[in-house]
Amino acid sequence: MIGSRTGSKNGRRADTHAQGRYLPPGYDAIAKPRAPRSGGGEGRTPSQRRIFLSLALFAACFTLVGARLVGLAIMGGDGESNVAIASAATQIHRPDIVDRNGEVMATDIATASLFADARYVIDPAETARQLASVLPDLDVQDVTQKLETGRAFIWLKRDLTPKQQYAVHYLGMPGLDFRKEQKRVYPNGKTGSNVLGMVDIDNRGIAGIERYMDDTFARKDDTGRPKFDRNRTLMLSIDLHVQHALRDELEKSMAEFSALAAVGVIMDVHTGEVVAMTSLPDFDPNDPMASPDNSRFNRATLGVYEMGSVFKAVTLAAALDSGKVGINASFDATKPLQVARFKIHDYHAENRWLTVPEVFIHSSNIGTAKIALQLGSEEHRQYLARFGLLTRPEIELPEAGSPLLPARWGELSTITTSYGHGIAVTPLQVASAVSTIVNGGFKVEPTFLRHNEPRLGERVISAEVSATMRGLLRLVVMEGTGRKADVPGYPVMGKTGTAEKPIKGGYSRNKLITSFISAFPANDPRYAMIVMFDEPKATKETYGYATAGWNAAPVTARVISRVAPLLGIKPATKPQENDVLRQAKLVSYETLSGQ
């Protein structure tokens, strides 16, 4: 044994000695001849064969260990595929979302997420305790239980800040590591949140435009290619500056009137582009779960409401367009209208015959009901459908509400729907209907994507009736219930709406939905707007009134005074009321009323 073990050593030492190198004392070096080189092993000595065999065994062992390591990288100790886990957890890259001017509204940033390979965690309880010392929101017991499973891949915390990542790394705990991921961020916080929506922890869209993008990614065109390129920036119709101004004014007014909620929509009357939309209370899409559930409800596009007298604009436009009601017609409003066991009253009763303009200016329920009856139930319903008020709107946002309609469309339904009761629609639908009324009579389809060209649909009312309605809407602001909506330099047209909220067994006189529909500038309308409040309260400044003329109308004026310059509208240098009335063939309120 000894001789055989030292023979090879001595052989090597003999070679070394032969080359003049020093050998330590105690070695009996015996030089042996070199084995001849050949392709086989016949000429090798027994020692060389043993060395060759040892090398082969080592190579085989390393091959097996390497194969096992690859297998462990792919399959966890419990048989679970880490590749599958990683694939499922890998977040998709989302394109930027920008406003109509190219300002970023949503973008991706790279973040680190913490995971554990529990097989290499030495002490689960201590590891959990150490992690909680630098990540206080982690639950020690929960993390301990996860680590005790021995699984190969366990998410512990997603989207760490650089400071948090450094703190965890500094702990030096075995079995912990980081994975680079994409995190969606919204630089403007709450501004535009109901339009943008949100994403989940894996960066998948779950609401708003974010959900729309994911749904569009999944669609294919005729060639089999995705309809939307993930690398292409998505440009919205929203103007961030206008959006901020609208939200700011609504937020202040919501607090002023102690309202439960507030809604605002501004729309291009020729393209249907929504340049601003706010639903309050809202949320921060950077941390949506930090806000109450009701803040994530989009009241502008998903909520449906009985909008009240703003519907009178649609009813009157339909009646005039049908030819069954003329602008010079008059209706008896001397007493309430009796229908079966119901009585229709006027809020501010004039108790006299009213001309068509007076019915509109004084917002007479009685006069409007009689106009609708003269138009006819079926034709009235057909016009509402043509205005897009009877069906769910086709918009990019998945949050689109379906109208609530009367179960049976009889005479009573015709009367109540004529002034906005018994039918519930979204504020966005009303804004679209107003756009149709003032843009020359063409239907408008609302959109949240930027379009550079007009997108006018079918003709709903004639150009002449549209001009007449512009004049009547202007008169409401000049002489009627919308006086507080006017803005110096930016003539406004519009209509108030105050509706009692439905409750079990009827309607509540103390819970109101107030709204004001408008278009500006009145001489050449480019934008339509609706402002709505849910249960606004009376204040000292409103002299105890909580109706639309005292809250929605003045807020409309504040918004227009801020956004009109942002939208590139130059202020008028001279009064333009006569221009509007001349287009409508309405010279003055006195002439119309016969005073």
Side-chain angles (χ1 to χ4, degrees), residues 23-289:
L23 288 175
Y27 279 90
D28 183 15
I30 302 175
K32 295 185 178 181
R34 294 179 181 271
R37 298 181 181 274
S38 66
E42 297 82 356
R44 291 178 181 153
T45 65
S47 297
Q48 290 173 325
R49 285 195 292 270
R50 283 195 294 271
I51 292 173
F52 180 80
L53 180 60
S54 298
L55 291 174
L57 288 173
F58 274 117
C61 289
F62 276 117
T63 301
L64 290 173
V65 171
R68 178 57 178 161
L69 289 175
V70 172
L72 288 174
I74 297 176
M75 300 295 296
D78 55 358
E80 184 175 14
S81 172
N82 282 349
V83 170
I85 295 173
S87 298
T90 299
Q91 298 179 334
I92 64 170
H93 168 72
R94 308 187 67 82
D96 287 352
I97 301 176
V98 300
D99 82 334
R100 65 185 304 107
N101 301 310
E103 295 194 38
V104 175
M105 299 183 71
T107 189
D108 278 0
I109 62 172
T111 63
S113 292
L114 175 65
F115 71 92
D117 186 339
R119 298 168 303 174
Y120 300 106
V121 173
I122 298 173
D123 187 338
E126 177 62 16
T127 300
R129 189 184 68 79
Q130 291 283 356
L131 283 174
S133 69
V134 296
L135 302 175
D137 56 328
L138 290 183
D139 182 87
V140 174
Q141 184 177 358
D142 178 60
V143 173
T144 301
Q145 291 175 351
K146 289 180 178 179
L147 296 179
E148 287 175 344
T149 62
R151 294 180 60 185
F153 189 95
I154 302 169
W155 279 124
L156 296 180
K157 183 174 176 61
R158 311 286 284 272
D159 300 329
L160 272 67
T161 65
K163 185 177 180 180
Q164 289 173 325
Q165 184 183 6
Y166 175 80
V168 173
H169 183 77
Y170 189 75
L171 293 175
M173 305 297 289
L176 303 180
D177 206 344
F178 304 96
R179 171 165 288 157
K180 184 177 289 187
E181 294 192 295
Q182 298 291 329
K183 177 179 173 61
R184 199 65 162 169
V185 295
Y186 304 87
N188 304 288
K190 293 183 177 181
T191 302
S193 59
N194 289 111
V195 177
L196 294 169
M198 65 186 100
V199 298
D200 64 11
I201 192 66
D202 291 318
N203 224 27
R204 292 188 294 259
I206 57 176
I209 286 294
E210 297 283 21
R211 173 68 179 274
Y212 162 77
M213 283 202 303
D214 282 10
D215 291 344
T216 308
F217 290 155
R219 298 175 192 158
K220 308 289 184 182
D221 59 19
D222 295 337
T223 65
R225 296 179 179 177
K227 284 192 172 182
F228 189 81
D229 182 1
R230 287 184 183 275
N231 297 316
R232 189 183 74 192
T233 297
L234 183 65
M235 179 170 283
L236 302 185
S237 58
I238 298 294
D239 185 314
L240 261 177
H241 302 289
V242 177
Q243 176 73 34
H244 171 75
L246 174 64
R247 184 187 181 280
D248 183 55
E249 290 297 337
L250 287 181
E251 188 175 41
K252 291 186 293 188
S253 302
M254 183 176 163
E256 177 185 354
F257 302 117
S258 303
L260 298 182
V263 171
V265 178
I266 303 177
M267 177 184 294
D268 187 308
V269 301
H270 299 293
T271 65
E273 293 172 292
V274 178
V275 296
M277 185 185 79
T278 293
S279 170
L280 298 178
D282 54 7
F283 64 97
D284 185 348
N286 294 296
D287 189 11
M289 296 304 116

Side-chain angles (χ1 to χ4, degrees), residues 268-397:
D268 187 308
V269 301
H270 299 293
T271 65
E273 293 172 292
V274 178
V275 296
M277 185 185 79
T278 293
S279 170
L280 298 178
D282 54 7
F283 64 97
D284 185 348
N286 294 296
D287 189 11
M289 296 304 116
S291 302
D293 291 343
N294 72 332
S295 67
R296 297 188 293 277
F297 181 77
N298 192 337
R299 294 163 180 82
T301 64
L302 185 57
V304 293
Y305 306 90
E306 295 190 12
M307 302 296 293
S309 295
V310 296
F311 255 68
K312 292 173 182 174
V314 177
T315 298
L316 184 53
L320 292 174
D321 187 71
S322 71
K324 294 183 177 181
V325 176
I327 190 66
N328 297 316
S330 298
F331 293 88
D332 183 4
T334 57
K335 58 184 178 180
L337 176 63
Q338 185 77 40
V339 182
R341 59 187 180 89
F342 301 98
K343 279 188 177 181
I344 310 301
H345 298 268
D346 282 345
Y347 184 72
H348 293 294
E350 294 291 315
N351 298 316
R352 61 183 177 86
W353 281 72
L354 300 175
T355 64
V356 166
E358 287 179 316
V359 167
F360 195 60
I361 293 167
H362 296 300
S363 198
S364 170
N365 293 338
I366 299 169
T368 304
K370 291 185 175 182
I371 288 174
L373 290 175
Q374 190 161 321
L375 172 62
S377 296
E378 184 57 32
E379 196 161 359
H380 181 231
R381 182 175 180 174
Q382 290 175 1
Y383 268 102
L384 293 180
R386 291 168 63 184
F387 274 104
L389 295 170
L390 302 186
T391 54
R392 181 179 182 271
E394 296 294 330
I395 58 176
E396 293 83 11
L397 303 188

Side-chain angles (χ1 to χ4, degrees), residues 367-448:
T368 304
K370 291 185 175 182
I371 288 174
L373 290 175
Q374 190 161 321
L375 172 62
S377 296
E378 184 57 32
E379 196 161 359
H380 181 231
R381 182 175 180 174
Q382 290 175 1
Y383 268 102
L384 293 180
R386 291 168 63 184
F387 274 104
L389 295 170
L390 302 186
T391 54
R392 181 179 182 271
E394 296 294 330
I395 58 176
E396 293 83 11
L397 303 188
E399 299 83 21
S402 297
L404 299 179
L405 310 176
R408 179 179 172 274
W409 207 289
E411 183 179 85
L412 183 59
S413 293
T414 300
I415 290 173
T416 57
T417 56
S418 72
Y419 53 80
H421 278 75
I423 181 172
V425 299
T426 67
L428 182 68
Q429 287 178 288
V430 175
S432 299
V434 175
S435 297
T436 297
I437 289 173
V438 303
N439 71 5
F442 296 97
K443 187 177 181 180
V444 171
E445 298 290 351
T447 180
F448 292 88

